[in-house]
Amino acid sequence: MGQGGEPRRTQAYDGELGAAVARAQEGDEEAFAVAYRIVQPGLLGYLRGLVGGDAEDVASDAWLEIARDLGRFRGDGAGFRGWTATIARHRALDHLRRQRVRPRGTALEQDVLDLPGSYSTYDQALESITTERALALLRQLPRDQAEAVLLRVVVGLDGPAAARVLGKRPGAVRTAAHRGLKRLARQLGAEGDGGGSAQEKGKQGKGKGKGRRGGRPAE
């Protein structure tokens, strides 16, 4: 359970992670490698949502800082996830400033989020969120929503931990994550329905055209 009784999302290895970090702080290089293997997948997914194809370079910079400042860290495995995510976020923002690029929001209106669709639940969005396509869609969300979803679902932080990374209130992060997942579900649903709908429309259009030509009375 996280602070305030909130369950953490993906913390299966936090016990192992906490132990590995403690040993790494004592100079155990193999333990640091264990911590890296546990944290890196989620951290890389988070960075892909922020900087796209430059994620691995930014992650490398982040891990250099993590290794350098490891002795200053205090906390457990869950805390280490949040601490590394904070460092990675700072490096990503530095990268974006250097590139003079900012993540773009979408032009979708709020009422679109309430439309029914084949992907009407968040579970389907969560199942797809680690795919490259889902990460690309996440980069189209407003930045506060994209980061909240990435931190909570991909990195596995609870609301308070994600809030500390972003410097916001837990309630604001939960709201942003909720809205982001809802919008992502709609985008995935639109993609799922779009191809078939276009084909059907094409068939219907051809059929109507044939009917008009074939059905014209002789003069």
Side-chain angles (χ1 to χ4, degrees):
M1 300 288 287
Q3 295 181 14
E6 180 179 324
R8 286 170 175 162
R9 289 179 178 271
T10 56
Q11 306 298 325
Y13 297 102
D14 275 351
E16 180 184 356
L17 176 58
V21 170
R23 294 197 307 273
Q25 289 178 313
E26 296 174 355
D28 188 333
E29 293 183 2
E30 291 185 5
F32 185 81
V34 170
Y36 173 86
R37 286 195 295 270
I38 294 173
V39 172
Q40 173 67 355
L43 203 65
L44 193 60
Y46 174 47
L47 289 172
R48 281 177 179 150
L50 295 180
V51 299
D54 295 329
E56 291 190 3
D57 290 339
V58 174
S60 296
D61 290 342
W63 278 106
L64 287 174
E65 184 174 343
I66 291 165
R68 184 193 70 196
D69 295 341
L70 184 62
R72 297 166 51 188
F73 169 74
R74 297 292 182 270
D76 58 8
F80 187 73
R81 288 183 192 274
W83 183 67
T84 55
T86 300
I87 292 174
R89 183 175 188 265
H90 289 163
R91 298 289 71 77
L93 294 179
D94 287 345
H95 175 80
L96 291 173
R97 279 191 287 267
R98 286 194 299 269
Q99 299 295 322
R100 296 185 179 181
V101 173
R102 295 292 183 272
R104 298 177 181 177
T106 64
L108 293 176
E109 297 296 333
Q110 184 66 33
D111 57 353
V112 175
L113 304 182
D114 298 323
L115 294 175
S118 59
Y119 286 78
S120 58
T121 66
Y122 307 139
D123 290 341
Q124 290 160 304
L126 295 176
E127 289 172 1
S128 303
I129 205 162
T130 56
T131 67
E132 291 298 324
R133 182 56 190 148
L135 288 172
L137 289 173
L138 275 168
R139 295 192 71 206
Q140 299 174 26
L141 296 177
R143 187 162 128 187
D144 64 327
Q145 295 180 15
E147 285 202 75
V149 171
L150 287 164
L151 286 171
R152 301 207 66 195
V153 179
V154 179
V155 180
L157 303 184
D158 60 15
R164 286 192 293 274
V165 173
L166 298 174
K168 297 183 178 181
R169 297 188 309 275
V173 174
R174 282 193 293 269
T175 298
H178 174 82
R179 290 176 177 171
L181 284 172
K182 194 171 185 180
R183 184 170 288 186
L184 178 62
R186 276 299 308 146
Q187 288 175 318
L188 291 170
E191 286 194 349
D193 293 339
S197 298
Q199 291 175 0
E200 289 300 322
K201 288 179 181 178
K203 289 179 180 178
Q204 291 174 4
K206 290 179 181 178
K208 288 179 180 178
K210 288 180 181 179
R212 283 194 300 269
R213 289 191 297 270
R216 179 180 296 176
E219 295 181 358

